[in-house]
Amino acid sequence: MSTAQRIIRFTLNGEAIAASVAPHENVVELLQRLGLHGARESCGQGLCGCCTVRVDGLAVSGCLYFAVQLDATCVDTIEQPFGEDGLDEVQQAFAQCGAFQCGFCTPGFVLMSRELLAANPEPSEDEIRHYLSGNLCRCAAYPEIIRAVQLAARMRRARS
Amino acid sequence: MTPFELIEPRTLDEALRLLDPADPGVRPAGGCTALMLMMKAGMLVPTRLVSLRRIEPRYRDIVASDDAITIGANASLASIEHSARVRDELPALARTLRTLANVRVRNVATLGGNLAHADPHMDLPPLLAALDASVQVQGRGSSRYASIEQLISGYYETTLAGDELIVAVRIPKRAARGCAYRKVTTRSADDWPALGIAVALEREGERVRAARVVLGAAVDRPTRLLAAEAALQGTRLDETSARRAADAAADEARPSEDARGSAAYKRELIRVHVRRTLLEAWCDEPVGAVRQ
Ligand SMILES: Cc1cc2nc3c(=O)[nH]c(=O)nc-3n(C[C@H](O)[C@H](O)[C@H](O)COP(=O)(O)OP(=O)(O)OC[C@H]3O[C@@H](n4cnc5c(N)ncnc54)[C@H](O)[C@@H]3O)c2cc1C
Ligand code: FES
Ligand code: FES
């Protein structure tokens, strides 16, 4: 191993891929290079959640994660398609509740909300606020976001 | 960014061999959350990062014995927060982790990286000092235990040699111990705190048998407030004795002045919050810690 580019292999949204990465490259930079723009760097400091992706089932900040460390992992991003129209309940609920204005923060909120509902199918409003406290929305769509998570929780329960 | 290599050895021994005390650019790496921020800020220009995340899985374990809970240095903060053992026996630790950073940081940040970083504003060092934790430090062919006060020697400074690694943290069990931590933020809720106060009280009936009161954030390293501890010894804990100990704490503490408050203001915060933390610790009832 050296300071040069390295080939890594990982699963991206269900597909096996290989990529050449430099040691200093972070996950957001790599994904953008691969044409995926849903995770975007905003604060670059782990605070805002705009760069959220899932690595081996855990939500992480792509801006604070070295791309080389994706080697041999499974990565899910907001581009991962679901169901017939490509959207899961959380995305449908966000659309239905208008839980965004500019949409810059939305991928991160959607991924984090999915994590929350997987761990806690019936979260209280306090639990939603607490779990999402590491995600910032500059347009301040917070009330709509909370309603969307509550709606998504109901939709998920109705399905199962 | 200056080029560097990131190596992921499979064993602790290999990791220790890859460290080089002669080169300050060679650094161990846990979750890399603090390292990446330091690199982005230009505070750290590494030549080699030795990642510990692929070493033997046992360094992630949380193990309970009769007299202690031992947490591997590679355990993520989230795994500690969600551990049933920790929730039952060290509820103050689980509660503190809930408000440390955010879900994504806790998913990757490790206990070892947290303690080695030695940023004075961090929440776990004062809490673990109050819990009388000892840190197991491994070198090439040597192993030692250090208390938190022995480990953290100043502002971002530790007594770790360049070829030593934190491998575990041992938290001794104590009968009838209550514990609490308060993070006091004076600006936004997610800002670094103006002070952090950790208290552990060992009860004997209605009295305090032993107390540890530790101040963080307002000083350059976790600092025990010995006069406050002495004021609590043998007392019946109530509003009056808590107030007396909090006054002693405010008198003895030497808080620094910064954007989060003047020294005088922080002294008043200490007075108020030591009292409240004492009362919280007194009411903390870990599972299995029967009141005597
Ligand atoms: C957005 C954000 C918010 C935060 N909020 C809080 C907060 O509210 N409260 C709080 O307390 N902290 C907070 N932090 C700090 C956080 O706790 C640390 O970044 C984290 O714990 C560091 O762990 P790590 O495993 O990522 O360490 P790394 O970044 O991997 O390493 C940190 C340091 O430790 C060294 N190191 C790593 N592992 C070892 C080891 N096993 N032995 C010896 N040395 C080692 C490294 O060389 C480096 O110097 C926050 C961080 C972020 C990014
Ligand atoms: S850009 Fe990564 S958390 Fe803000
Ligand atoms: S919708 Fe604009 S930042 Fe959230």
Side-chain angles (χ1 to χ4, degrees):
Chain A
M1 274 178 264
S2 70
T3 57
Q5 296 262 328
R6 225 172 97 188
I7 305 286
I8 60 166
R9 285 167 215 288
F10 62 105
T11 308
L12 179 57
N13 295 329
E15 277 180 47
I17 70 153
S20 171
V21 295
H24 61 259
E25 218 174 341
N26 72 35
V27 168
V28 184
E29 290 164 335
L30 171 64
L31 291 174
Q32 305 250 329
R33 209 150 54 66
L34 296 173
L36 300 187
H37 297 274
R40 51 285 289 250
E41 189 155 328
S42 180
C43 71
Q45 300 188 19
L47 291 165
C48 74
C50 289
C51 62
T52 302
V53 298
R54 261 166 48 130
V55 178
D56 285 337
L58 287 178
V60 310
S61 281
C63 70
L64 286 188
Y65 207 98
F66 287 116
V68 289
Q69 297 200 305
L70 294 184
D71 193 33
T73 65
C74 277
V75 180
D76 301 323
T77 71
I78 193 66
E79 287 85 358
Q80 181 187 18
F82 283 89
E84 274 167 30
D85 58 358
L87 304 179
D88 79 332
E89 286 97 346
V90 175
Q91 287 164 308
Q92 290 167 12
F94 268 64
Q96 218 168 306
C97 295
F100 40 72
Q101 282 189 53
C102 75
F104 199 79
C105 68
T106 313
F109 271 101
V110 167
L111 288 169
M112 292 304 289
S113 304
R114 252 183 223 159
E115 294 278 305
L116 167 64
L117 296 179
N120 180 357
E122 241 173 301
S124 67
E125 180 170 339
D126 271 357
E127 286 168 337
I128 297 172
R129 284 178 184 276
H130 175 76
Y131 199 88
L132 298 180
S133 63
N135 287 66
L136 302 181
C137 173
R138 283 292 170 239
C139 303
Y142 297 112
E144 291 80 7
I145 290 170
I146 287 162
R147 276 205 291 282
V149 178
Q150 288 166 332
L151 174 61
R154 285 198 299 277
M155 289 161 67
R156 282 169 56 107
R157 286 202 300 277
R159 171 170 56 94
S160 57
Chain B
M1 211 179 259
T2 327
F4 64 93
E5 56 178 349
L6 193 152
I7 310 183
E8 300 192 321
R10 301 302 157 121
T11 66
L12 180 76
D13 278 349
E14 214 181 318
L16 285 166
R17 276 198 301 277
L18 286 163
L19 297 174
D20 179 359
D23 181 353
V26 176
R27 294 288 278 265
C32 297
T33 58
L35 278 173
M36 282 184 90
L37 286 181
M38 289 192 291
M39 288 168 65
K40 288 183 187 203
M43 282 162 64
L44 171 69
V45 184
T47 50
R48 170 191 292 170
L49 294 181
V50 181
S51 166
L52 303 176
R53 69 177 194 143
R54 292 197 199 270
I55 67 168
E56 297 92 333
R58 68 170 181 276
Y59 294 106
R60 253 180 264 151
D61 289 350
I62 301 175
V63 181
S65 65
D66 286 347
D67 56 354
I69 291 188
T70 303
I71 306 175
N74 259 359
S76 71
L77 300 184
S79 73
I80 305 170
E81 174 191 2
H82 298 302
S83 151
R85 270 269 142 66
V86 171
R87 290 192 165 191
D88 281 355
E89 299 184 30
L90 297 167
L93 176 57
R95 280 196 302 270
T96 299
L97 285 166
R98 266 175 64 81
T99 59
L100 189 156
N102 56 48
V103 176
R104 294 180 309 279
V105 171
R106 296 198 295 276
N107 277 345
V108 290
T110 63
L111 183 59
N114 186 283
L115 291 178
H117 189 43
D119 179 330
H121 301 97
M122 294 167 72
D123 300 308
L124 293 187
L127 178 62
L128 291 172
L131 289 167
D132 198 14
S134 49
V135 181
Q136 191 187 348
V137 177
Q138 183 80 43
R140 287 179 228 185
S142 70
S143 178
R144 65 183 172 102
Y145 279 93
S147 65
I148 299 289
E149 298 99 301
Q150 286 161 346
L151 177 78
I152 299 179
S153 50
Y155 191 75
Y156 289 95
E157 279 177 22
T158 68
T159 54
L160 291 170
D163 55 358
E164 281 186 322
L165 291 171
I166 297 176
V167 291
V169 176
R170 181 180 183 281
I171 303 168
K173 291 188 186 174
R174 295 284 156 74
R177 175 174 60 189
C179 183
Y181 174 76
R182 279 177 89 89
K183 155 151 127 175
V184 183
T185 47
T186 50
R187 305 195 299 188
S188 66
D190 62 353
D191 185 26
W192 288 115
L195 45 123
I197 291 170
V199 166
L201 298 175
E202 287 174 48
R203 298 175 284 237
E204 196 163 65
E206 288 308 304
R207 297 195 181 267
V208 177
R209 194 166 61 74
R212 280 177 169 254
V213 181
V214 186
L215 174 66
V219 279
D220 70 348
R221 71 193 86 170
T223 305
R224 281 177 71 180
L225 299 178
L226 299 172
E229 291 179 4
L232 289 159
Q233 187 92 35
T235 58
R236 188 179 290 274
L237 198 100
D238 54 21
E239 268 292 336
T240 316
S241 60
R243 202 173 285 274
R244 204 175 324 113
D247 285 340
D251 283 347
E252 72 181 298
R254 297 282 169 272
S256 59
E257 171 162 344
D258 62 17
R260 295 172 188 89
S262 66
Y265 175 60
K266 288 186 191 172
R267 201 177 287 285
E268 289 316 304
L269 289 178
I270 291 169
R271 199 184 307 282
V272 171
H273 290 282
V274 165
R275 177 174 56 81
R276 292 183 186 165
T277 318
L278 284 170
L279 295 167
E280 276 165 27
W282 188 249
C283 299
D284 179 44
E285 295 268 4
V287 174
V290 227
R291 262 189 189 237
Q292 293 169 343

